[in-house]
Amino acid sequence: MNWTGKDMDTYLQQKEYIDTLVIPLVKVETKIDNMKTSASSTEFVMHLASLIETQFKGRMMFAPPFAYTSTTDQQQMAQTTLQAFSDTTFKHVFFLTTDHAWTSMELPGQVIWMPSIPLENMDASLRQSILEDQLRQALPKFTEQWSKQ
């Protein structure tokens, strides 16, 4: 389920079944030399988030991506904006990112870090296969948290 009016209506009616929130974290590089890599990483995270959302519709809600730059104080962001999600009715909160820096921070949920894979020049079937491989790597992180209920 996505952070849309229609999906939110469904969530509000069935929130006892939709216990997981996933928040994509995307780093937006503003230096010209890093823009391409940043855009590619964002594309990867958003495609992976879409695949996960499709697989777990009815169990997960996906927040809009949180974008930040290299000048953002990530620790401050974690303590303020992202901390607000720990006060929601979601039992499980995950942060999906290609930025390894988030793995060493204390967040109100679990970080799922994936190395960025450039997808822009791949044909659709190869891209889908790679994303499915990444999903298989992320799956144990979700199921581990769900089993702790």
Side-chain angles (χ1 to χ4, degrees), residues 130-141:
I130 286 175
L131 289 168
E132 287 171 358
D133 286 345
Q134 296 302 302
L135 172 63
R136 280 189 284 281
Q137 290 182 40
L139 207 64
K141 295 174 187 283

Side-chain angles (χ1 to χ4, degrees), residues 49-57 62:
S50 179
L51 180 63
I52 296 169
E53 189 275 334
T54 300
Q55 296 293 317
F56 292 102
K57 194 169 200 82
F62 277 76

